[in-house]
Amino acid sequence: MSLESLLRVESLKKLFIYKSPLGKAKGYLRAVDGISFSINENSVFAIVGESGSGKSTVANLILRLIKPTEGRIYFKGHDIFSFKEKQLQQYRRAVQIIFQDPFASLNPRMRIMDILSEPFKIHRIAEKENIKDTVVQLIEKVGMSSDSLNKYPHEFSGGQRQRICIARALALSPELIVADEPLSALDVSIQAQILNLFQKIREENNISFIFISHDLNIVRYFSDEVAVMYLGKIVEKAKTEDIFSNPLHPYSRLLISSAPQIKIKKEMRQEKDALIEKNTTNDLSSSLKTPSGCSFHPRCPIRLDICDRVMPEMLCFSGRLIACHLYVEQISST
């Protein structure tokens, strides 16, 4: 593994203007608000958080589908937003996407053969006479037969369509796959099959993943490192087992205590109950109305006085990165 990270995100921000019904600008939605992280080769970096936390916006920024307001994204040490045509084409080959909805991800008017052939034709990386054999190998690699290639997307189940989307993502031999909630539209039994397929692909191809999900059981099984996002910010980042065995940030504790089938400590249950009680009376924050100080303080059962006024910095504590005044106080007292 090289010393240089495969992908590095630095102080990334994305603000969207929101307008009144008459079209007048009213303010900014802070979809992503100054996040930083890096991904090494052959690793899985998971991003978790509630809807509206900014997870999918991060994916769109990494894929260069939108431009950041501030910050940089480096792929193998090169700023992806400085790429010209040839470099951008190479980047598109190296970084692929698997979308959440397999029903909307495939052109209904194209046969599967044409869908999987298209990347080879666009990037001109296979001779015309060899494309069919390559596509047959791809479809078989994801557990489907070559008979599928003459059919249309509507003839398949959701799980089969997602396998086709995975085959398309693998067509160009990528180094990084961004999987944006790739299992959420599937039945639980099918989710397990697709997750096992992801694991197999990772082992056989040494591909890194950015895995975006709200299902913490899946994240715990598949990822190496987890970043917890809340209202556009990363509030805690740690190795997967560390964050699940001992989550430190109050929001991380809320997420994990709310996940089914994950054993939690007694004190985490008590915090969850306190959060539920608070949230029945408090107006929850949103990216449109971020509170002063720590963005999570209106929902936090253990907040300090400073939390209402000052945004906590991301600091290293107990082998992880965390943004919480509770641990700033502990670091200062040692």
Side-chain angles (χ1 to χ4, degrees):
M1 185 183 296
S2 63
L3 295 176
E4 178 65 50
S5 300
L6 180 65
L7 187 93
R8 189 172 81 255
V9 172
E10 292 186 355
S11 304
L12 193 64
K13 291 186 179 183
K14 181 60 183 179
L15 278 60
F16 294 100
I17 298 174
Y18 66 95
K19 300 179 179 180
S20 68
L22 298 177
K24 184 178 179 180
K26 294 184 65 177
Y28 293 97
L29 185 154
R30 295 178 176 274
V32 177
D33 195 6
I35 69 170
S36 300
F37 61 86
S38 61
I39 302 163
N40 294 322
E41 296 173 3
N42 191 25
S43 65
V44 178
F45 184 84
I47 303 176
V48 302
E50 296 168 300
S51 297
S53 61
K55 305 185 302 295
S56 293
T57 303
V58 174
N60 289 332
L61 288 164
I62 290 171
L63 292 163
R64 253 195 67 157
L65 299 178
I66 56 177
K67 293 183 178 180
T69 305
E70 292 181 23
R72 293 285 184 268
I73 300 174
Y74 297 94
F75 183 73
K76 293 185 173 181
H78 301 285
D79 183 354
I80 69 169
F81 292 99
S82 68
F83 288 166
K84 303 303 180 184
E85 184 176 350
K86 186 177 180 180
Q87 290 174 304
L88 181 57
Q89 187 178 43
Q90 293 172 343
Y91 181 70
R92 300 278 189 217
R93 283 180 55 181
V95 180
Q96 291 288 303
I97 176 74
I98 298 173
F99 293 101
Q100 176 179 2
D101 187 359
F103 295 91
S105 303
L106 301 172
N107 189 331
R109 297 184 179 183
M110 294 178 67
R111 296 182 188 272
I112 305 307
M113 180 68 196
D114 297 325
I115 290 172
L116 297 184
S117 299
E118 196 171 34
F120 298 105
K121 295 175 181 177
I122 291 173
H123 291 271
R124 301 176 183 177
I125 58 173
E127 298 294 334
K128 188 175 181 179
E129 58 271 18
N130 297 330
I131 289 179
K132 183 175 181 180
D133 291 339
T134 305
V135 169
V136 169
Q137 293 174 11
L138 266 180
I139 202 70
E140 291 178 346
K141 191 171 188 177
V142 297
M144 296 178 67
S145 71
S146 58
D147 296 339
S148 308
L149 296 173
N150 292 321
K151 298 180 180 179
Y152 290 92
H154 73 269
E155 300 179 69
F156 298 95
S157 66
Q160 290 172 321
R161 291 191 198 196
Q162 196 63 294
R163 288 176 184 270
I164 294 166
C165 292
I166 294 169
R168 181 175 60 185
L170 293 173
L172 300 175
S173 300
E175 298 174 66
L176 174 66
I177 290 178
V178 179
D180 187 4
E181 298 275 10
L183 308 179
S184 61
L186 307 178
D187 293 337
V188 174
S189 59
I190 305 301
Q191 286 182 2
Q193 296 175 20
I194 300 299
L195 189 59
N196 288 334
L197 177 59
F198 280 140
Q199 189 67 44
K200 180 182 177 183
I201 289 168
R202 178 191 176 187
E203 292 170 357
E204 292 180 352
N205 300 275
N206 294 324
I207 294 175
S208 296
F209 282 81
I210 296 176
F211 194 79
I212 296 170
S213 179
H214 64 272
D215 191 323
L216 298 183
N217 289 307
I218 291 173
V219 167
R220 187 171 193 176
Y221 171 78
F222 187 54
S223 67
D224 301 307
E225 193 174 15
V226 178
V228 179
M229 286 192 70
Y230 184 73
L231 294 186
K233 293 182 177 292
I234 292 177
V235 296
E236 186 171 1
K237 183 168 72 71
K239 291 181 180 179
T240 300
E241 196 49 46
D242 290 344
I243 210 164
F244 279 97
S245 62
N246 185 29
L248 295 184
H249 196 282
Y251 179 62
S252 303
R253 289 181 170 234
L254 171 62
L255 280 182
I256 293 174
S257 66
S258 300
Q261 299 177 356
I262 292 180
K263 293 182 180 180
I264 59 176
K265 298 177 182 178
K266 182 179 179 181
E267 59 267 25
M268 289 172 60
R269 288 195 185 94
Q270 293 171 342
E271 287 178 14
K272 177 190 173 186
D273 293 341
L275 282 163
I276 291 172
E277 183 178 354
K278 286 179 70 63
N279 290 341
T280 59
T281 56
N282 285 358
D283 180 26
L284 300 188
S285 307
S286 74
S287 298
L288 294 173
K289 189 181 178 182
T290 304
S292 59
C294 174
S295 56
F296 187 64
H297 85 256
R299 303 175 64 183
C300 184
I302 54 176
R303 71 179 185 228
L304 307 173
D305 290 340
I306 194 174
C307 299
D308 299 0
R309 308 186 308 274
V310 181
M311 175 64 67
E313 297 180 8
M314 183 69 77
L315 298 173
C316 183
F317 179 83
S318 188
R320 70 192 71 195
L321 293 175
I322 185 167
C324 180
H325 286 299
L326 180 64
Y327 303 101
V328 174
E329 293 288 321
Q330 292 187 36
I331 292 171
S332 300
S333 63
T334 57

